[in-house]
Amino acid sequence: MPRERLYLFDTTLRDGAQTNGVDFTLADKLAIARMLDELGVDYVEAGYPGANPIDTSFFSERRPMRAHVTAFGMTRRPGRSTANDPGLAALLAAQADAICFVAKTWDYHVHVALETTEEENLASIRDSVRAAKARGREVLLDCEHFFDGYKAKPAYALACAKVAYEEGARWVVLCDTNGGTLPHEVEEIVGEVCKQIPGDHVGIHAHNDTEQAVANSFAAVRAGARQIQGTLNGLGERCGNANLISIIPTLKLKPEYAETFEIGVSDAALAHIARVSHALDDLLNRAADRHAPYVGESAFATKAGIHASAIVKDPATYEHVAPERVGNRRKLLVSDQSGRSNLLAELDRIGLAVNKDDARLGRLLDEVKEREAMGYAYEAADASFELLARRLLGKVPRYFDVEKFDVSVEQRINAKGERVTVSMAVVKVKVGDDHLISAAEGNGPVNALDLALRKDLGKYQSYITGLELTDYRVRILNAGTEAVTRVLIESGDESGERWTTVGVSPNIIDASFQALMDSIVYKLVKSGAPA
Ligand SMILES: [Zn+2]
């Protein structure tokens, strides 16, 4: 049976850009648009031309891509003609394949916010859709506050949607703008709408204020809607929008949806979705959510006990989908609770073949337990675990020695009379017979130490150029009688791989130093640097 086409509309660059602390540059927007296009979404809503210089310049030229580039804006203002509305003119002039108008559909908002009549609001929708159609654009109407409006006055909310559809809008999109509508309500109301407007012209735009934006999107699809709007990683103001990174794998991998619907995302693109999710976090300079469904670092992590031994025998026992399908991987956590089978499976994944009767296996297990008692967390620090295992098996060359380092923090008053803090680090490294000294300033002592360490590693320098620190986490632990600091550092490189290393010490600089060293050595091992 042929599957029905379901369309994906991404609004990361418009609604997602409303998030607190998110400020996309034009270069960011172009990079994200390209990423979305490669992923296979059908529409990329890139911004609001005329509202700010970046969005205006995005739409100042054609951005050729497979997805429909969509410009967002308001319907004509009440009491004006379409020919005499500068906002609408900017929108119509935008170099876009599609125009998405936003319009009020809740009578209360029409009266209070727009201060106009219900009839004039309907006329504004009709005129705006007509004007955009006349310019040869595909038209969408975002029905703002649709669900609240429908509850207050169903006939009027429906009339707004219908007037757009009848005027030739390709899609009318039902927005849960406040994000408070529940799945059973969405299903019921979308079902009613689809009796009046064919479902293959109806979309859903859900916000996540009750943590149900994804569930609401699926409820709408069950009731007949055939377009889902959302954002990468659920970015969006307040609690965010529906998360396309969760929606796409569910559509592709759960038989109920996969057998009924076809989407523009290929299996090959799905296998890169974890990378897409992480790339957005990188761009926003924030740490990825380790517990994100499908793509999080912990999404397929199992800790010891009966779960882990069962998962080694058959992964399907504790995994709802295969991690490789979404570009993630299975992780058996190596921790003080883990047994030999767990350890063997992890060594196998790393590519270290060890016989299960090898005496070194017991020594490694003891070492892990001993160090975890001191505060090390190997289940969170895969790269440090790998180095520990490789060292025990004699497989890590001694690339270089740090003979000495010195870190200073100075606070002083600068020429402008402001209080400033400057950190400086000096590192003495021995590489082969060469003694190298590097110094660097940083915005903090760890940053300075990192910069100095990586400044000059002599013949190894070329192997670490792509190395980048992506996250730094500190925790104070009570191990035994004294407090110690645990530092976890997440790093990445040009290949897109990420790894985490750990350091523990009563001194935060020393703990950071250990984690930094592990990260550099891991990168050298991974790059095949010669001894
Ligand atoms: Zn929204």
Side-chain angles (χ1 to χ4, degrees):
M1 210 176 78
R3 291 174 300 164
E4 212 180 324
R5 186 70 161 83
L6 186 71
Y7 294 84
L8 298 173
F9 182 107
D10 180 278
T11 181
T12 304
L13 301 178
R14 201 275 302 169
D15 224 354
Q18 305 286 328
T19 313
N20 256 357
V22 168
D23 251 322
F24 293 127
T25 63
L26 181 61
D28 292 341
K29 285 206 160 194
L30 290 168
I32 294 169
R34 247 190 325 269
M35 210 159 72
L36 288 164
D37 196 37
E38 279 165 19
L39 178 61
V41 306
D42 301 289
Y43 295 84
V44 172
E45 188 173 53
Y48 190 166
N52 64 68
I54 287 172
D55 287 5
T56 303
S57 67
F58 187 100
F59 289 105
S60 65
E61 54 184 283
R62 287 212 66 81
R63 310 290 181 184
M65 54 183 82
R66 197 197 43 76
H68 297 202
V69 175
T70 307
F72 173 89
M74 313 247 256
T75 50
R76 74 157 172 80
R77 278 193 272 170
R80 294 230 183 179
S81 72
T82 50
N84 187 26
D85 184 325
L88 184 65
L91 191 53
L92 294 175
Q95 298 287 323
D97 305 305
I99 290 178
C100 182
F101 288 110
V102 59
K104 308 278 182 208
T105 56
W106 184 356
D107 63 328
Y108 166 72
H109 273 262
V110 172
H111 299 301
V112 174
L114 280 186
E115 296 181 351
T116 188
T117 62
E118 294 176 19
E119 294 67 37
E120 173 61 6
N121 185 49
L122 287 174
S124 156
I125 295 172
R126 185 188 310 116
D127 295 347
S128 305
V129 173
R130 186 178 297 165
K133 291 279 295 180
R135 291 288 191 109
R137 302 291 197 274
E138 179 178 344
V139 183
L140 300 91
L141 184 79
D142 266 7
C143 300
E144 199 184 47
H145 297 294
F146 184 84
F147 294 92
D148 298 300
Y150 188 91
K151 287 181 204 169
K153 195 169 177 183
Y156 186 68
L158 257 174
C160 294
K162 269 179 93 168
V163 72
Y165 171 66
E166 282 162 4
E167 199 57 47
R170 171 67 184 86
W171 295 100
V172 288
V173 182
L174 312 180
C175 302
D176 185 25
T177 309
N178 291 345
T181 310
L182 302 175
H184 67 277
E185 299 173 306
V186 169
E187 190 159 354
E188 189 189 320
I189 293 172
V190 173
E192 289 303 317
V193 173
C194 290
K195 289 178 188 164
Q196 309 275 332
I197 299 171
D200 58 0
H201 291 270
V202 174
I204 178 75
H205 176 111
H207 277 264
N208 202 32
D209 297 68
T210 70
E211 187 80 4
Q212 299 188 87
V214 169
N216 279 343
S217 303
F218 285 114
V221 169
R222 273 198 304 274
R226 293 296 175 258
Q227 184 194 97
I228 298 177
Q229 298 202 344
T231 59
L232 295 177
N233 296 348
L235 204 68
E237 67 182 329
R238 304 191 312 276
C239 315
N241 285 56
N243 185 357
L244 288 179
I245 296 289
S246 297
I247 288 172
I248 290 170
T250 298
L251 288 173
K252 293 281 294 177
L253 300 177
K254 296 294 167 185
E256 179 191 347
Y257 295 106
E259 286 164 9
T260 314
F261 300 111
E262 194 182 344
I263 59 173
V265 180
S266 66
D267 289 350
L270 181 69
H272 287 119
I273 198 164
R275 195 180 291 178
V276 170
S277 168
H278 296 151
L280 183 79
D281 288 323
D282 277 350
L283 222 134
L284 295 170
N285 198 20
R286 66 181 197 185
D289 175 4
R290 305 176 72 84
H291 300 282
Y294 295 108
V295 298
E297 172 116 31
S298 300
F300 299 96
T302 308
K303 189 166 177 168
I306 50 165
H307 290 193
S309 50
I311 223 162
V312 171
K313 286 180 202 140
D314 179 9
T317 46
Y318 283 94
E319 286 170 358
H320 72 115
V321 299
E324 305 79 40
R325 299 292 309 270
V326 291
N328 208 338
R329 67 177 170 88
R330 177 170 309 126
K331 232 174 131 186
L332 295 174
L333 302 178
V334 177
S335 78
D336 58 1
Q337 295 178 33
S338 65
R340 273 175 111 84
S341 63
N342 218 347
L343 195 63
L344 270 169
E346 189 57 15
L347 291 175
D348 185 52
R349 188 192 65 74
I350 294 169
L352 288 170
V354 185
N355 190 298
K356 69 176 172 37
D357 303 317
D358 194 320
R360 293 176 299 180
L361 209 56
R363 291 220 304 279
L364 179 58
L365 204 53
D366 288 344
E367 179 90 17
V368 167
K369 284 181 181 171
E370 203 172 299
R371 293 171 72 88
E372 293 215 329
M374 290 159 66
Y376 289 84
Y378 287 106
E379 61 180 53
D382 49 353
S384 285
F385 169 75
E386 182 172 337
L387 285 181
L388 189 70
R390 284 183 182 275
R391 281 191 178 114
L392 208 107
L393 300 169
K395 288 186 175 159
V396 179
R398 200 170 185 103
Y399 297 109
F400 63 95
D401 288 299
V402 174
E403 299 184 300
K404 181 181 164 169
F405 72 79
D406 180 33
V407 180
S408 66
V409 180
E410 183 193 345
Q411 196 183 83
R412 54 181 155 79
I413 308 291
N414 70 9
K416 291 182 197 157
E418 300 157 337
R419 224 154 50 102
V420 290
T421 307
V422 185
S423 297
M424 199 175 111
V426 180
V427 178
K428 245 176 109 172
V429 184
K430 183 166 178 277
V431 185
D433 291 330
D434 298 331
H435 294 269
L436 307 164
I437 297 183
S438 305
E441 276 190 349
N443 55 25
V446 175
N447 180 234
L449 182 61
D450 172 42
L451 293 175
L453 257 178
R454 291 195 282 140
K455 205 167 191 175
D456 187 6
L457 274 189
K459 61 176 176 175
Y460 296 122
Q461 193 61 25
S462 63
Y463 293 94
I464 61 163
T465 43
L467 175 62
E468 202 179 48
L469 261 54
T470 53
D471 195 23
Y472 175 83
R473 298 193 295 278
V474 178
R475 252 189 90 179
I476 310 294
L477 310 165
N478 274 310
T481 51
E482 60 175 341
V484 296
T485 304
R486 175 203 290 158
V487 168
L488 286 168
I489 286 179
E490 191 186 275
S491 312
D493 69 5
E494 65 283 0
S495 72
E497 190 187 330
R498 284 149 174 272
W499 60 90
T500 305
T501 52
V502 62
V504 172
S505 167
N507 181 311
I508 186 172
I509 303 290
D510 183 46
S512 306
F513 173 74
Q514 293 171 21
L516 286 170
M517 285 290 287
D518 266 9
S519 177
I520 294 170
V521 173
Y522 178 81
K523 170 69 179 160
L524 289 173
V525 169
K526 173 174 127 65
S527 307

